[in-house]
Amino acid sequence: VQLVESGGGLVQAGGSLRLSCAASGFNVDDHTIGWFRQAPGREREGVSRISTYDGSVEYADSVKGRFTISTDNAKNTAYLQMNSLKPEDTAVYYCAADLHYLERYRLLSPDSYENWGQGTQVTVSS
């Protein structure tokens, strides 16, 4: 199992970025993919997750209406489209995969995931 994030960068407040999470060793549409972020001095937090096999998605309150999660089965890749970015969105963003079909209430908790990418830095300037 391997996850590789890309798409991070420096953007001004109000701008947009699209993060990608290329997966190998499993099918993204058969499992849950989660996006998480960690800002300096803060704990890693759940941002969004998608479980295409049952059609469910979930967003943290802080990103609802601004971020959109999706998958592309042909590319075996998950995406996080981030619009209306704010300085407080600055963090290292990670994708993770749940291969064990955990209970839904656990799927935005970083502690629930075993398989992680290396992370990609997102910096939003004011």
Side-chain angles (χ1 to χ4, degrees):
V1 173
Q2 187 175 21
L3 300 164
V4 180
E5 301 97 332
S6 61
L10 173 64
V11 63
Q12 288 187 331
S16 298
L17 284 173
R18 188 179 78 158
L19 306 184
S20 299
C21 173
S24 58
F26 70 100
N27 189 326
V28 297
D29 281 351
D30 292 337
H31 299 278
T32 294
I33 299 294
W35 281 100
F36 300 84
R37 65 187 181 186
Q38 188 166 18
R42 302 189 65 174
E43 293 187 353
R44 192 169 298 188
E45 63 176 356
V47 174
S48 182
R49 62 94 183 162
I50 183 167
S51 307
T52 303
Y53 61 89
D54 70 3
S56 66
V57 297
E58 189 175 0
Y59 296 95
D61 288 343
S62 58
V63 306
K64 280 181 182 176
R66 300 188 298 122
F67 291 10
T68 303
I69 193 170
S70 63
T71 61
D72 183 332
N73 186 55
K75 296 182 178 180
N76 208 33
T77 297
Y79 301 97
L80 186 68
Q81 177 67 43
M82 306 186 296
N83 298 329
S84 302
L85 282 161
K86 305 175 181 180
E88 51 263 45
D89 294 318
T90 295
V92 178
Y93 283 71
Y94 301 89
C95 65
D98 164 41
L99 304 183
H100 303 293
Y101 299 99
L102 298 173
E103 297 88 343
R104 191 173 288 189
Y105 73 91
R106 298 176 61 182
L107 293 174
L108 269 188
S109 170
D111 293 341
S112 299
Y113 290 78
E114 298 175 345
N115 300 284
W116 292 86
Q118 83 288 349
T120 186
Q121 176 71 46
V122 171
T123 303
V124 185
S125 63
S126 57

